[in-house]
Amino acid sequence: MSLKCGIVGLPNVGKSTLFNCLSSAKAQAANFPFCTIEPNVGMITVPDERLQHLAEIDQPKRVIPATMEIADIAGLVKGASKGEGLGNKFLSHIRETDAIIHVLRCFDDGNITHVDGSVDPIRDKEIIDTELQLKDLETIESRLGKVEKQAQSGGDKNAKRLLEILKRYQEVLLQGKSARTVELDSKDDRRLARELFLLTDKPVLYVCNVDEASAVTGNHYVEAVKAAVAGENAQCLVVAAKIESEIAELETYEEKEMFLSELGLKESGVARLIKAAYALLDLQTYFTTGPDESRAWTFVRGTKAPQAAGIIHSDFEKGFIRAEVIKYDDYVRLRSEAACKEAGRLSVEGKDYVVQDGDILHFRFNV
């Protein structure tokens, strides 16, 4: 399944540096605004130690990890919602993403120009938020008149419900809050809301880009950001993009591990960021494994077995008969499908089975 995260932020906060660490694609990184005009897009792998353990057991010909698309979207500026700084183009690129990675500058460096003259991540966050909220308000208000007429005529059964949703969004946006702060109870309401494609309704991960000294502990800028996003239903992550770029240049896994250890980090910021973005989209992983291939497959939490089978091939879903399920811990402990079967650790599940993170699956189907 194709999923896309967009990296956003003001110019010169470290977006392109972070993107270069995430992807083998090399975005131009320079000390001036609008260095990135078209969104650089890269396909990144999702780090998962479980896949490596399965490959060690089965020694397959191929190992295929889960992937995610990531886009480096050019720096937004104040007035973007009205087209300032190529704003309309940038906002359309954000609309195409499933989630937003919002990079905030949380470091001091006199050699790197800040577009607004000083370091203030809360101000920077509010500039971006305001521009996205204004664009969403424009979207809402352009729909309201039409939906009000439909609700009054009674011709569209969903119009009254949609009108209520639009008014709720309009209310919070006028208060300077993002659409994601509105909680919708029913599945139908959430479906109607998704069709609006609101920018501030997308899940967001705030990335505090810090200096090396703050990579482990954070700093006062980070604490201010955490306090500012506390009521926003959003995640916050601390990453030192400059360090990550140095790690990316190292040749071997051992060198990277030693570098991280010296800094007091258990895992690279890039790995943590990818995992956080994966979780942000409510994604999980199931595996298929054997002598030919060990592979990670991405699915949305709550997916049932036939739909999970369809991720591999549509015929698997159409002709679904059953799923043979082994839990990851059992497979690693017993070290083969045959041993799991003999120990009674292989279960046979039908169409109503909800796939769990880490399941090792074999689908039976007939087309």
Side-chain angles (χ1 to χ4, degrees):
M1 57 194 303
S2 179
L3 292 153
K4 188 176 184 180
C5 289
I7 303 178
V8 305
L10 291 181
N12 293 347
V13 297
K15 298 186 320 304
S16 295
T17 302
L18 191 60
F19 174 82
N20 288 339
C21 300
L22 288 165
S23 171
S24 57
K26 290 292 180 185
Q28 183 186 4
N31 183 23
F32 55 89
F34 308 118
C35 163
T36 312
I37 302 300
E38 293 301 324
N40 293 275
V41 178
M43 192 64 73
I44 59 175
T45 59
V46 179
D48 195 324
E49 298 81 2
R50 296 172 300 180
L51 181 63
Q52 299 309 315
H53 292 155
L54 293 176
E56 287 166 11
I57 292 169
D58 289 323
Q59 298 293 306
K61 296 171 186 172
R62 296 181 303 277
V63 179
I64 304 177
T67 60
M68 182 186 299
E69 198 174 333
I70 196 150
D72 175 24
I73 297 169
L76 291 169
V77 294
K78 194 179 293 184
S81 60
K82 303 299 180 187
E84 292 293 328
L86 305 178
N88 287 329
K89 199 171 186 181
F90 300 164
L91 291 168
S92 71
H93 291 149
I94 296 171
R95 202 177 297 281
E96 293 165 7
T97 65
D98 299 292
I100 295 170
I101 298 170
H102 186 161
V103 182
L104 296 167
R105 178 171 169 176
C106 294
F107 65 90
D108 294 306
D109 188 335
N111 295 318
I112 300 178
T113 306
H114 191 289
V115 71
D116 283 323
S118 63
V119 177
D120 185 344
I122 307 306
R123 177 202 58 210
D124 295 353
K125 172 190 175 303
E126 289 172 353
I127 288 172
I128 300 287
D129 285 351
T130 299
E131 296 308 320
L132 300 184
Q133 289 162 9
L134 287 171
K135 201 66 181 176
D136 280 350
L137 196 56
E138 185 182 301
T139 300
I140 295 293
E141 291 177 345
S142 69
R143 292 288 302 273
L144 270 171
K146 183 180 177 182
V147 174
E148 277 178 330
K149 289 178 183 176
Q150 291 172 334
Q152 287 168 1
S153 69
D156 185 341
K157 63 179 182 179
N158 288 322
K160 284 187 177 180
R161 192 70 209 126
L162 180 56
L163 182 61
E164 287 181 30
I165 292 169
L166 286 169
K167 286 182 175 178
R168 285 184 68 185
Y169 279 135
Q170 184 186 38
E171 183 182 353
V172 300
L173 289 165
L174 285 170
Q175 293 171 4
K177 298 177 183 176
S178 294
R180 75 180 69 88
T181 61
V182 174
E183 292 188 11
L184 300 174
D185 298 325
S186 75
K187 185 185 281 189
D188 287 340
D189 284 358
R190 289 192 292 274
R191 177 183 57 78
L192 289 170
R194 276 196 302 273
E195 291 170 2
L196 296 171
F197 297 104
L198 298 179
L199 301 172
T200 65
D201 198 31
K202 295 179 185 294
V204 63
L205 172 65
Y206 290 102
V207 175
C208 297
N209 183 17
V210 301
D211 54 18
E212 181 176 334
S214 308
V216 177
T217 59
N219 56 32
H220 66 285
Y221 291 130
V222 173
E223 294 308 312
V225 171
K226 287 180 178 178
V229 307
E232 208 181 296
N233 192 25
Q235 295 185 44
C236 190
L237 193 70
V238 176
V239 172
K242 191 168 183 292
I243 289 176
E244 296 300 321
S245 65
E246 292 173 13
I247 293 171
E249 295 297 324
L250 296 175
E251 295 290 332
T252 67
Y253 175 79
E254 288 74 18
E255 285 178 311
K256 292 179 182 182
E257 285 291 291
M258 189 179 298
F259 189 92
L260 288 168
S261 179
E262 287 173 0
L263 292 169
L265 295 168
K266 293 181 180 178
E267 190 175 29
S268 76
V270 162
R272 288 186 289 113
L273 195 158
I274 297 169
K275 289 178 181 178
Y278 200 69
L280 187 69
L281 290 164
D282 214 14
L283 301 179
Q284 295 184 320
T285 303
Y286 74 80
F287 302 98
T288 53
T289 189
D292 289 329
E293 180 181 278
S294 291
R295 183 163 183 166
W297 301 89
T298 299
F299 67 97
V300 177
R301 185 194 301 271
T303 298
K304 291 187 176 180
Q307 288 70 49
I311 294 168
I312 298 177
H313 196 287
S314 57
D315 285 350
F316 283 31
E317 182 175 356
K318 289 175 189 172
F320 179 87
I321 299 171
R322 64 180 183 271
E324 295 173 356
V325 184
I326 300 172
K327 297 302 176 184
Y328 169 80
D329 288 343
D330 289 332
Y331 198 92
V332 171
R333 179 169 54 87
L334 297 169
R335 304 191 73 75
S336 75
E337 182 179 328
C340 289
K341 199 170 188 178
E342 189 176 331
R345 305 308 298 172
L346 183 151
S347 64
V348 176
E349 306 290 351
K351 292 182 178 180
D352 291 330
Y353 177 70
V354 177
V355 177
Q356 302 298 304
D357 185 51
D359 278 354
I360 296 165
L361 300 178
H362 183 77
F363 297 107
R364 301 291 183 182
F365 70 103
N366 183 29
V367 176

